[in-house]
Amino acid sequence: MTDVPADEFAPRPKLLTPQVLQQLCTRSNAQGALRTLSHYGAIIGVGALIGVIASTHGVLWALPLLPVQGVLIAFLFMAVHETAHKTAFDSRRLNLAIGNLSGFLIGLPYDYYCLFHWEHHRHTQDPLRDPELIVGPKPRSETQLAIAYSGLVQVAGRLRLLLKHAVTGEVTVPWVPAGRRATIVREARAYVAGYALLLIGSFALHSALLLWIWALPLLLGQLILRPYLYAEHTGCDHTRSAFHNTRTTFTTRIVHWLAWNMPYHVEHHAYPAVPFHALPKLHAIVDGEIKYRGQGYIEVTRQTWAWFRAHFDGAKP
């Protein structure tokens, strides 16, 4: 994915000179490695603890750790996202390696996501062209809304599309150009083959370990990831300006770590070439231009839930 240029409609505060922006756009292998190792280290640590407890005391004693592991794994989506922009590392190879590994672990093919996300940045909040609005569920009742916030619909749709690409060899979504369709099919088949090998290996070893430390936690983690993702744009303006069509949410340091600083989402959409580690500095410069400012994810989730409820009939844009 080629870096998306700065939003042409974004205001340029006086302090954000071309020289300052160039400095902010400096990528760092060290920063990327630190965030990646800490994130993956936490996953490996909690996963090992689940395995030890389950083997010595039984699975029931390990159940409280599954949601923790789930959040850690589900939020590898942020590693996929940052590497899709090629800003997690200065090294292109490292971006591709971590992007593909993280994509495999959350069932999101990396090359496909890069194309999907490129279109999202180009057409943010355009209901006819933004892929996030095209494929996203449109709840029409309280039950459908609750299911949407569980993230299960999104995961099922992602896996269904993956299997379709792998089995049929056909790619029909408009954000994948004809010249890239063969690549997307090969990627889908590689992912499916990898999952099949892991499943066969688990049966051969008579082990449910991957179920407890990976598959089930991933599903549980969607309960936190999906409301987080809905906070990024839900209820914001349908306009070209990132300062009006995106929300920045003020939250804790642990959430900033977990989400690779993407709570600074206005800043990211306005200047997507700025790597995750420089977003706090960018925020300090452009803070006064931000229209939608969330005060914590609990409050923003209340707001986004209410917005969806107000649009059950589909009559409002």
Side-chain angles (χ1 to χ4, degrees):
M1 174 180 173
T2 305
D3 285 327
V4 181
D7 189 330
E8 61 183 303
F9 296 98
R12 180 66 65 84
K14 292 181 179 180
L15 294 177
L16 192 59
T17 64
Q19 292 76 17
V20 170
L21 185 57
Q22 184 177 13
Q23 292 175 356
L24 290 172
C25 289
T26 302
R27 302 169 191 183
S28 169
N29 286 334
Q31 291 282 357
L34 180 62
R35 186 60 57 93
T36 300
L37 290 173
S38 64
H39 197 152
Y40 271 89
I43 290 172
I44 293 170
V46 176
L49 190 57
I50 291 172
V52 169
I53 293 174
S55 63
T56 57
H57 300 288
V59 170
L60 288 178
W61 288 95
L63 290 181
L65 287 174
L66 265 60
V68 177
Q69 179 76 333
V71 170
L72 290 170
I73 295 176
F75 272 77
L76 283 177
F77 174 84
M78 301 305 164
V80 178
H81 171 268
E82 191 71 21
T83 56
H85 282 277
K86 309 301 184 290
T87 50
F89 302 90
D90 187 41
S91 165
R92 180 175 178 83
R93 288 184 178 181
L94 284 175
N95 280 305
L96 294 177
I98 297 303
N100 277 287
L101 174 60
S102 302
F104 181 82
L105 289 175
I106 64 172
L108 179 61
Y110 177 72
D111 284 335
Y112 171 82
Y113 176 74
C114 288
L115 296 170
F116 178 98
H117 194 63
W118 167 262
E119 285 297 287
H120 167 61
H121 269 269
R122 290 181 62 196
H123 305 296
T124 306
Q125 287 291 81
D126 183 336
L128 299 179
R129 293 188 289 181
D130 184 347
E132 288 195 359
L133 298 181
I134 294 172
V135 305
K138 300 170 179 61
R140 294 289 183 265
S141 68
E142 293 286 352
T143 300
Q144 292 180 13
L145 185 59
I147 294 173
Y149 271 80
S150 76
L152 297 180
V153 173
Q154 292 83 354
V155 171
R158 182 190 304 170
L159 295 178
R160 185 167 56 247
L161 187 63
L162 175 67
L163 285 172
K164 175 187 174 184
H165 292 164
V167 174
T168 68
E170 297 180 356
V171 181
T172 58
V173 290
W175 45 87
V176 177
R180 297 294 304 277
R181 290 172 188 166
T183 299
I184 299 306
V185 170
R186 287 194 297 269
E187 177 183 57
R189 288 173 176 170
Y191 273 53
V192 171
Y195 298 141
L197 287 174
L198 290 173
L199 183 61
I200 292 171
S202 294
F203 280 128
L205 296 172
H206 303 286
S207 172
L209 181 63
L210 291 182
L211 174 67
W212 299 114
I213 70 170
W214 177 28
L216 185 55
L218 175 60
L219 295 179
L220 293 174
Q222 304 306 311
L223 295 170
I224 302 299
L225 177 64
R226 185 49 46 183
Y228 168 90
L229 292 176
Y230 278 145
E232 293 177 343
H233 302 285
T234 303
C236 298
D237 299 347
H238 290 191
T239 177
R240 292 289 301 278
S241 172
F243 285 86
H244 293 167
N245 65 24
T246 305
R247 177 183 288 105
T248 279
T249 301
F250 299 98
T251 185
T252 63
R253 289 185 179 181
I254 186 65
V255 175
H256 274 286
W257 169 80
L258 183 66
W260 292 54
N261 277 335
M262 279 305 117
Y264 292 126
H265 212 61
V266 171
E267 297 82 347
H268 166 69
H269 264 259
Y271 302 99
V274 174
F276 72 97
H277 58 83
L279 289 177
K281 293 180 180 178
L282 176 61
H283 168 76
I285 297 173
V286 304
D287 184 26
E289 309 294 334
I290 298 172
K291 179 177 181 179
Y292 291 97
R293 306 160 60 84
Q295 300 301 321
Y297 281 97
I298 293 177
E299 178 58 32
V300 173
T301 297
R302 291 194 186 102
Q303 295 171 12
T304 58
W305 186 286
W307 186 90
F308 277 118
R309 291 187 66 193
H311 291 73
F312 275 168
D313 59 5
K316 298 179 182 180

